[in-house]
Amino acid sequence: MAKTMTTTAGNPIGDNQNSLSAGSRGPLLMQDYQLLEKLAHQNRERIPERVVHAKGSGAYGTLTITEDISKYTKAQVLQKGEKTPMLARFSTVAGEKGAADAERDVRGFALKFYTKEGNWDLVGNNTPVFFVKDPMKFPDFIHTQKRDPRTNLRNSTAMWDFWSLSPESLHQVTILMSDRGIPKSLRHMNGYGSHTYSLINEAGERFWVKFHFKTMQGIETLTNKEAEAIVGKDRESNQKDLYESIENSNFPKWSFEIQIMTDEQAKSTSFNPFDLTKVWPHKEFPMIKVGEMELNRNPQHYFAEIEQSAFSPSNVVPGISWSPDKMLQARVFSYADAHRYRIGTHYEALPVNRPLVEVNTYHADGPMRLDQPVGTDAYYEPNSFNGPIEDKQYVEPPFPVNGDGYRYDHHEDTQDHYSQVKALFHLMSDSQKEQLFNNIAEAMDGVPQDIQKRQIALFDTVDSDYAAGVKKALGI
Ligand code: NDP
């Protein structure tokens, strides 16, 4: 038998079809609280969409560790045999919440692992690098991807103007404009932690690490034409594919692999290993297999579980930590802060974000205190009333830093924005190169020629064939 419907206060409802009126033709009575509550709730059914990565799809799964990497990390979640429940959220970057899925854009690849030592979030992309390497340029870059404030249109002139003035973006621009710029589905793309992080072992030794999730479905992509045909019929192609695959028990899997660098090695690499526009070449830093990630359960309520899910690189567990990467340092602040604004101060207490372990903080009040704090005399720290205390075993070993505090020109760190892009260009088949040239030419449509030429000069520094191909596609 169906349950009796109630108000939010639990009062039983006798009629949910007809409003309360004075006479059958109205007007309505102010005391129809149930009607007022329904309308008031309707007005509050949205929260601010994410400023970036607004359009997303998510699912739950399991991370299984199959190899022994205990010489690098003491993190329990990364010990051989460990199985950890997790949540993944995939997204496009620029489009609003109602944007089409099959668009040329970087894909967010955000993971939350509900470990025995609290939540570990790895908030990456389907690309190993990013457009900028100094967070001072992050908001400006995002503005170029969003709508022009005057026309309210997407503005390709702004994009290419910014990119052509920011040569460090070349690597990511090349990946974005390549065949991989439109994944066929969320199941057919790799995920990368992108930033350099660190692993810390039982002996307190720190290793620098890159995290990789390689699709076991194989890389599959869409051309602009294929994507246009899909978007014309279905704006939710990725959401549909992920949801239906999981409903049909066709669970997508990724091979979880890492690259490791010692601090000694980090001092002598030809590139800055903490620069988000660079990868670590596989030949120098080979991939090490760690385990597998499988997605196997759809959320039951999109808003509660995916829209309200909140991922932040600030969430790390003992044995996993950050690196000097300036972009990572900024994201440790700005991602958690975005959720405080978007969802509320106590967003971590929501079921989807809550860790499996007990949470013991002295954070106080604020809107929507969702948990049930136990009344205690120990509401400050230090105290004499047996409140939670720190445990020195979790203090991290010293974090190596050096140098004077200064606004270092991020272009002077390395002038080489080109050689890794060249390596990628040379990995591409002729048909992939052809797609790259044509995708760039289409994306540059309507952009003033001086900006096109400035960008082509950057392609020329990578490889004269790259510039020649783009020029030909543009008809210059
Ligand atoms: P490798 O040849 O050892 O590695 C190449 C990597 O590039 C593989 O992971 C491969 O992924 C990926 N790749 C292959 N073709 C393309 C493509 N058309 N678009 C994007 N990625 C592709 O060489 P290096 O490690 O020296 O890297 C060479 C270049 O490859 C780098 O400069 C970078 O641009 C790119 N790359 C490097 C990665 C790294 O972590 N070293 C990661 C991803 C890209 P897959 O196995 O899926 O084909």
Side-chain angles (χ1 to χ4, degrees):
M1 205 174 84
K3 292 175 183 164
T4 300
M5 209 182 143
T6 69
T7 64
T8 50
N11 312 125
I13 285 173
D15 186 342
N16 191 43
Q17 319 303 322
N18 307 297
S19 48
L20 191 62
S21 58
S24 68
R25 294 190 171 183
L28 299 179
L29 297 187
M30 187 72 192
Q31 73 182 56
D32 190 352
Y33 177 70
Q34 191 203 346
L35 172 66
L36 301 186
E37 186 178 68
K38 274 179 98 164
L39 297 177
H41 267 267
Q42 186 180 32
N43 286 344
R44 289 163 178 77
E45 280 179 1
R46 300 287 176 273
I47 56 175
E49 68 173 36
R50 290 163 168 86
V51 174
V52 283
H53 297 276
K55 179 72 190 292
S57 304
Y60 296 97
T62 313
L63 178 73
T64 305
I65 306 301
T66 55
E67 312 302 320
D68 181 2
I69 58 159
S70 57
K71 66 178 172 182
Y72 301 123
T73 181
K74 61 182 178 181
Q76 227 176 318
V77 57
L78 298 181
Q79 300 309 310
K80 188 173 177 182
E82 193 74 9
K83 281 183 186 288
T84 303
M86 48 131 342
L87 172 72
R89 181 178 182 273
F90 308 111
S91 51
T92 49
V93 179
E96 291 90 1
K97 204 175 165 318
D101 285 339
E103 288 193 349
R104 181 168 300 281
D105 201 349
V106 171
R107 299 299 189 270
F109 199 104
L111 308 173
K112 184 183 289 294
F113 303 102
Y114 303 94
T115 91
K116 293 169 185 157
E117 299 173 296
N119 288 350
W120 171 39
D121 292 3
L122 196 57
V123 195
N125 282 327
N126 71 330
T127 65
V129 293
F130 196 62
F131 297 93
V132 294
K133 56 174 159 177
D134 191 311
M136 199 63 106
K137 293 176 88 167
F138 199 12
D140 293 289
F141 163 66
I142 294 301
H143 289 162
T144 70
Q145 301 298 298
K146 293 287 192 175
R147 291 174 188 275
D148 178 300
R150 183 164 52 84
T151 62
N152 195 34
L153 299 170
R154 299 285 291 280
N155 182 346
S156 46
T157 296
M159 296 179 202
W160 290 104
D161 188 30
F162 182 91
W163 287 335
S164 63
L165 291 168
S166 309
E168 72 271 29
S169 65
L170 259 174
H171 202 172
Q172 180 79 317
V173 168
T174 302
I175 297 174
L176 175 64
M177 294 297 154
S178 78
D179 53 331
R180 295 199 185 187
I182 317 181
K184 182 176 172 196
S185 86
L186 302 168
R187 299 178 298 121
H188 293 96
M189 64 186 197
N190 292 340
Y192 303 88
S194 302
H195 299 286
T196 297
Y197 288 85
S198 50
L199 294 181
I200 302 163
N201 66 14
E202 282 292 356
E205 298 166 299
R206 189 188 294 268
F207 300 86
W208 305 117
V209 64
K210 290 274 196 196
F211 296 107
H212 302 254
F213 292 83
K214 291 206 148 201
T215 172
M216 291 166 71
Q217 291 67 243
I219 297 272
E220 288 188 33
T221 60
L222 298 172
T223 63
N224 281 353
K225 276 213 159 33
E226 288 167 334
E228 278 165 24
I230 289 172
V231 172
K233 290 190 186 142
D234 180 5
R235 299 173 64 76
E236 268 62 56
S237 50
N238 288 352
Q239 168 74 32
K240 186 167 187 280
D241 175 87
L242 183 68
Y243 181 82
E244 290 182 351
S245 297
I246 293 175
E247 284 302 289
N248 295 330
S249 302
N250 177 17
F251 301 138
K253 287 186 188 174
W254 285 262
S255 167
F256 176 30
E257 298 169 25
I258 56 172
Q259 288 173 290
I260 291 284
M261 188 188 290
T262 64
D263 197 42
E264 270 317 294
Q265 287 174 309
K267 290 182 178 121
S268 59
T269 45
S270 59
F271 56 94
N272 172 2
F274 309 113
D275 174 346
L276 187 55
T277 65
K278 303 286 186 298
V279 295
W280 295 0
H282 291 146
K283 276 176 215 72
E284 288 174 68
F285 301 97
M287 300 287 268
I288 301 167
K289 174 85 180 178
V290 181
E292 252 178 54
M293 179 177 91
E294 177 189 87
L295 297 182
N296 47 32
R297 181 163 63 89
N298 276 318
Q300 292 303 301
H301 196 285
Y302 181 86
F303 180 84
E305 295 165 83
I306 304 303
E307 190 62 8
Q308 292 197 119
S309 64
F311 302 83
S312 170
S314 49
N315 292 346
V316 290
V317 292
I320 303 175
S321 186
W322 306 294
S323 81
D325 178 342
K326 294 177 188 180
M327 290 293 289
L328 175 60
Q329 297 269 321
R331 292 177 78 214
V332 165
F333 159 71
S334 72
Y335 276 51
D337 189 56
H339 302 309
R340 287 183 203 107
Y341 163 71
R342 186 174 69 86
I343 308 171
T345 314
H346 299 288
Y347 69 94
E348 297 270 35
L350 286 165
V352 69
N353 298 324
R354 205 155 52 203
L356 300 176
V357 298
E358 196 176 311
V359 173
N360 295 310
T361 78
Y362 288 89
H363 298 317
D365 308 339
M368 299 299 291
R369 180 93 207 225
L370 300 153
D371 54 345
Q372 177 55 63
V374 179
T376 165
D377 291 331
Y379 54 87
Y380 52 88
E381 216 276 329
N383 62 63
S384 314
F385 301 103
N386 205 29
I389 53 168
E390 67 209 19
D391 182 341
K392 291 274 190 267
Q393 68 165 308
Y394 297 117
V395 173
E396 263 188 46
F399 186 78
V401 293
N402 59 57
D404 297 329
Y406 185 65
R407 294 188 184 276
Y408 293 94
D409 183 338
H410 61 272
H411 289 124
E412 282 177 8
D413 165 50
T414 171
Q415 301 288 339
D416 180 12
H417 310 296
Y418 312 101
S419 59
Q420 291 200 349
V421 190
K422 191 178 183 81
L424 174 62
F425 185 68
H426 284 272
L427 276 178
M428 293 183 187
S429 64
D430 286 347
S431 105
Q432 284 175 314
K433 283 181 185 154
E434 213 46 47
Q435 280 194 54
L436 174 72
F437 304 147
N438 291 329
N439 292 339
I440 289 173
E442 279 186 39
M444 277 189 173
D445 187 36
V447 172
Q449 264 217 358
D450 58 325
I451 294 177
Q452 290 183 352
K453 283 184 178 159
R454 192 164 60 206
Q455 184 68 39
I456 289 166
L458 293 180
F459 295 143
D460 197 43
T461 317
V462 173
D463 195 300
S464 55
D465 287 348
Y466 192 169
V470 173
K471 274 197 210 162
K472 189 168 163 230
L474 275 169
I476 297 183

